[in-house]
Amino acid sequence: MPSSPKPYFLEVTYRKGRIFAAYLHLPRLSGDVSARTTQPEPGFVVDFASDGRAIGIEITNPMPATLLPELNRVMAGLQLPPVAQADIQPLLAA
C-alpha cells in the first residue's frame, strides 16, 4: 500500500541567486489566511488561521547546519510530524 503524501510542501525564495528564505506550507482549508503569527524560535515564524490552526512556517534564516533539528522542534511544538532531511534538501544544499 503506498504511503499517503505529506500534508505540506516547501517553497524557497531566492534573492540574487542565493536562498533568502523559505516557507513550509502546512495543511490549509480553502480561504485560510494568516490571522496571527508567533516566533517559537529565532529564525521561524508560524502563521495561524483564525481558528488557531498552524497553516505555515516561514524560515527566515535557513542555516543548513542547524535547520533540521530546529525545524523539527517547531513541528513538535505544533504537534505535527517531523520533516525529513530529503524534504528540505534544497535548503541544505545551499
Side-chain angles (χ1 to χ4, degrees):
M1 175 182 257
S3 63
S4 60
K6 291 199 170 131
Y8 49 79
F9 69 93
L10 182 69
E11 180 178 7
V12 180
T13 303
Y14 294 85
R15 183 175 287 167
K16 297 182 181 179
R18 303 187 84 197
I19 292 177
F20 175 71
Y23 194 83
L24 186 66
H25 293 265
L26 302 173
R28 293 177 183 235
L29 300 175
S30 179
D32 274 347
V33 295
S34 179
R36 73 177 177 91
T37 62
T38 63
Q39 185 177 10
E41 290 201 22
F44 297 90
V45 177
V46 179
D47 291 326
F48 292 89
S50 60
D51 64 1
R53 285 175 299 105
I55 58 172
I57 301 171
E58 183 177 4
I59 304 166
T60 60
N61 188 19
M63 301 296 293
T66 59
L67 179 60
L68 189 59
E70 290 172 351
L71 179 56
N72 279 331
R73 275 196 303 272
V74 172
M75 296 292 283
L78 297 170
Q79 299 179 337
L80 294 170
V83 176
Q85 183 170 334
D87 295 326
I88 60 167
Q89 193 58 45
L91 294 175
L92 301 176

